[in-house]
């Protein structure tokens, strides 16, 4: 019996590498893997549905999976996850010292459905009472002009969002035209040492550990999305893919934690990995629904409140039914 041919697109994550290279295989599936930059993958999957499965921004996925009769479904596989308190870059002349000082200021992000910004906008509201209506929001490219929104929005009526096509967030926060850039990666002006641009929270690591201990939320940036038609015809594919992704991750983590085989030239990396294992309850990078429930639920709420998701969905609604069925013996 021939195997099912399945196309997949992701960036080059070590926790996917054994699966991508064929050391780990998904039962009954031959994968044709495209390894591309994630911005290209997001655009091509969002606009053209070019692969059977692909990495996708969690926020953009929420926008599409909550559409009426959506043609996408997710796998509870985490491509990328990062805490984002390091993502506030402010101009010192704006005299912003605390989160509450952002009230009434102008903040830019590359897209409204920019996952890092979604988490932090929600955090500002939940933890500091700085709501969406309290900020003058700007959308523009991170380091070059012209970036566009990739999904349709239904912004709350109180939100003030200005799209700027001819300038970048980097140049605007450096000049003081905006007070803060809320962005996943450091803008060029910060990386190049502009004297007026600093992180709002230089102690972000400590903040993020405290936040996780209090809320058990470890922000998920990108997940694996699939075209529903693949599972309509082959419902077994979802669990077989999940099994392969899990085994690939297990091997990656094992390498990181074993000082004898670690492939990365970084001192004390296995020691750090053991510390992370303790912090996260034994699994340093959990997949699954229950393993990440507080995080799934928070993003589904945030994307709905911020006019990205079409409805307030539950985690079980965005993944194939029964995908986490226990198979223990």
């Amino acid at each position: 019996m021939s195997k099912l041919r399945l196309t997949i697109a992701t960036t080059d994550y070590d926790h996917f590498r054994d699966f991508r290279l064929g050391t780990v295989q998904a039962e009954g599936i031959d994968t044709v893997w495209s390894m591309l930059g994630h911005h290209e993958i997001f655009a091509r999957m969002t606009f053209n549905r070019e692969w059977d499965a692909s990495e996708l921004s969690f926020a953009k996925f929420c926008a599409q999976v909550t559409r009426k009769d959506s043609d996408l479904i997710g796998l509870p596989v985490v491509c990328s996850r990062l805490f984002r308190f390091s993502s506030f870059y402010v101009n010192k002349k704006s005299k912003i010292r605390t989160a509450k000082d952002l009230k009434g200021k102008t903040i830019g992000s590359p897209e409204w459905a920019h996952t890092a910004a979604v988490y932090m906008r929600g955090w500002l509201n939940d933890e500091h009472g700085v709501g969406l209506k309290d900020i003058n929001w700007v959308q523009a490219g991170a380091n070059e002009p012209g970036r566009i929104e990739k999904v349709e929005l239904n912004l709350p009526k109180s939100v003030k969002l200005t799209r700027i096509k001819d300038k970048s967030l980097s140049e605007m926060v450096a000049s003081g035209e905006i007070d803060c850039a809320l962005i996943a990666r450091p803008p060029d002006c910060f990386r190049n040492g502009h004297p007026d641009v600093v992180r709002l929270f230089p102690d972000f690591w400590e903040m993020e550990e405290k936040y996780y201990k209090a809320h058990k939320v470890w922000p998920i940036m990108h997940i694996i999305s699939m075209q529903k038609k693949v599972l309509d015809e082959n419902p077994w594919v979802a669990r077989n893919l999940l099994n392969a992704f899990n085994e690939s991750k297990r091997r990656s983590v094992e390498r990181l934690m074993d000082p004898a085989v670690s492939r990365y030239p970084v001192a004390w990396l296995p020691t750090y990995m053991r510390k992370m294992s303790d912090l996260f309850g034994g699994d340093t990078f959990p997949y699954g629904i229950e393993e990440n429930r507080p995080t799934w639920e928070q993003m589904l709420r945030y994307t709905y409140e911020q006019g990205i998701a079409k409805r307030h969905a539950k985690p079980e609604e965005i993944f194939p039914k029964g995908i986490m069925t226990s198979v223990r013996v």
Side-chain angles (χ1 to χ4, degrees), residues 25-261:
Q25 296 188 5
E27 186 68 26
I29 300 171
D30 271 333
T31 59
V32 179
W33 212 293
S34 296
M35 191 175 67
L36 301 164
H38 62 261
H39 288 300
E40 181 175 353
I41 294 171
F42 296 170
R44 290 171 61 179
M45 187 64 169
T46 297
F47 292 124
N48 306 326
R49 298 292 194 260
E50 294 188 26
W51 299 278
D52 297 312
S54 85
E55 178 177 2
L56 200 59
S57 150
F58 192 9
K60 294 174 182 60
F61 170 76
C62 289
Q64 297 171 78
V65 77
T66 56
R67 292 170 180 164
K68 186 177 180 180
D69 301 321
S70 174
D71 62 340
L72 284 186
I73 196 75
L75 291 181
V77 171
V78 180
C79 308
S80 167
R81 65 190 316 162
L82 292 159
F83 293 97
R84 289 304 190 185
F85 293 114
S86 64
S87 297
F88 292 87
Y89 298 89
V90 298
N91 188 298
K92 291 193 294 186
K93 294 179 181 178
S94 296
K95 297 181 180 179
I96 299 168
R97 301 288 183 268
T98 69
K100 289 186 177 181
D101 292 339
L102 291 168
K103 194 168 186 176
K105 301 296 186 180
T106 300
I107 302 178
S109 63
E111 297 174 41
W112 187 257
H114 179 57
T115 304
V118 172
Y119 277 112
M120 292 294 92
R121 289 194 298 255
W123 171 76
L124 284 173
N125 181 72
D126 286 357
E127 303 285 325
H128 298 282
V130 180
L132 300 178
K133 63 180 174 54
D134 299 322
I135 301 292
N136 299 306
W137 298 102
V138 166
Q139 184 265 320
N143 295 306
E144 56 184 352
R147 184 161 166 176
I148 62 170
E149 198 75 48
K150 297 180 179 65
V151 293
E152 70 282 2
L153 304 173
N154 183 26
L155 296 177
K157 292 181 180 180
S158 59
V159 169
K160 302 179 289 290
L161 176 63
T162 303
R163 292 187 168 89
I164 297 179
K165 298 179 179 180
D166 60 347
K167 297 178 183 178
S168 72
L169 296 176
S170 179
E171 60 184 296
M172 287 190 287
V173 74
S175 68
E177 187 172 344
I178 63 174
D179 302 296
C180 173
L182 180 48
I183 185 171
R185 295 181 178 181
D188 284 350
C189 60
F190 178 82
R191 293 191 303 106
N192 295 334
H194 193 286
D196 292 333
V197 179
V198 297
R199 276 196 168 105
L200 175 56
F201 305 118
D203 57 343
F204 60 87
W205 191 335
E206 180 182 352
M207 292 175 64
E208 290 163 354
E209 286 196 3
K210 288 181 179 178
Y211 182 80
Y212 176 75
K213 289 174 182 177
H215 300 282
K216 300 304 178 186
V217 169
W218 184 8
I220 293 169
M221 298 295 120
H222 308 163
I223 70 167
I224 294 292
S225 65
M226 291 192 67
Q227 297 200 49
K228 274 186 177 178
K229 64 183 181 181
V230 176
L231 300 186
D232 290 341
E233 299 169 4
N234 308 279
W236 52 271
V237 163
R239 185 57 179 262
N240 287 14
L241 284 174
L242 178 59
N243 290 346
F245 276 113
N246 265 315
E247 175 59 17
S248 184
K249 183 198 71 169
R250 186 195 66 77
R251 295 180 183 212
S252 174
V253 172
E254 184 177 65
R255 288 191 295 269
L256 285 164
M257 296 189 75
D258 187 344
V261 299

